[in-house]
Amino acid sequence: MSEYYYFGASLPMLRMNQAPPISYDSFMKACSENLSRRDMADMRLAVLSGGEGDATLSVVRAFRRYASDLNKAINHERAKRLGFSGYEKGSDDKSISDRAREIVALSDPLKAEREVLSSYFDFLSSYESISPFSAESLMIYSLKLQIIEVSSSFSPEQGRSEFDKLYKSIEEDIFR
């Protein structure tokens, strides 16, 4: 695995609940200038949405598995709270199940979504010390940067506006 001492050290520090110090697009442009072709191909698979194709790096596969397990556990807890039967089984991992319960217990959907993203961020942070200047550490950086961009894009005003627009559309459909 290639080591990227200068490039990794030149990247600004990422902190959850702070504006991203660099855009994901700028980061990817810098990666394309500094990474080998193989590492760049892997970098394109390190996307928050799961991406297309199979990730070759274990940390990306582990992140995808964690995110999937957490989302399934959250869906399980929501279904239980709503009294639905036949819902998908939750996680076998107690820490994931407990985290899902905490998230579902939040009454504010924005806080809940931020907690999901924070859980992702914390999971990735637990992998950071493995090899700080490797391609793998850059994949972690990429995922964390995407998480911060999503989190910083949330706006209560925009959310309320979108909710009102959707509600009005549903109301119009009902009363036609």
Side-chain angles (χ1 to χ4, degrees), residues 10 14 16 38 42 58-59 67 82 86 144 159:
S10 72
L14 300 177
M16 193 66 194
R38 179 175 178 216
D42 285 338
S58 61
V59 68
L82 294 170
K144 289 175 82 171

Side-chain angles (χ1 to χ4, degrees), residues 31-166:
C31 285
S32 69
E33 296 167 359
N34 288 282
L35 272 60
S36 69
R37 283 184 193 200
R38 179 175 178 216
D39 289 341
M40 195 60 205
D42 285 338
M43 181 63 74
R44 287 188 184 97
L45 295 174
V47 292
L48 192 56
S49 64
E52 300 294 324
D54 294 327
T56 58
L57 292 176
S58 61
V59 68
V60 176
R61 287 193 314 269
F63 172 73
R64 286 180 181 178
R65 201 169 31 256
Y66 175 80
S68 175
D69 287 351
L70 181 60
N71 289 332
K72 285 178 186 173
I74 289 170
N75 290 340
H76 174 81
E77 289 301 319
R78 285 182 179 149
K80 274 183 13 185
R81 278 182 171 246
L82 294 170
F84 295 147
S85 60
Y87 43 80
E88 188 173 12
K89 181 178 180 239
S91 177
D92 292 330
D93 184 326
K94 183 175 175 2
S95 64
I96 292 175
S97 295
D98 291 346
R99 188 70 180 126
R101 255 189 299 300
E102 291 169 9
I103 291 168
V104 171
L106 294 170
S107 60
D108 182 343
L110 180 58
K111 281 184 182 177
E113 188 61 29
R114 284 201 168 124
E115 284 300 314
V116 170
L117 294 173
S118 183
S119 295
Y120 292 167
F121 194 89
D122 293 345
F123 175 83
L124 290 165
S125 293
S126 71
Y127 277 82
E128 279 182 323
S129 64
I130 294 171
S131 182
F133 300 105
S134 65
E136 189 167 283
S137 70
L138 295 172
M139 309 295 160
I140 293 169
Y141 190 93
S142 172
L143 289 163
K144 289 175 82 171
L145 181 59
Q146 293 170 69
I147 290 166
I148 291 171
E149 277 194 345
V150 169
S151 180
S152 68
S153 72
F154 294 152
S155 160
E157 295 80 24
Q158 287 177 330
R160 184 64 194 190
S161 173
E162 184 65 23
F163 173 81
D164 290 343
K165 187 169 64 174
L166 290 170

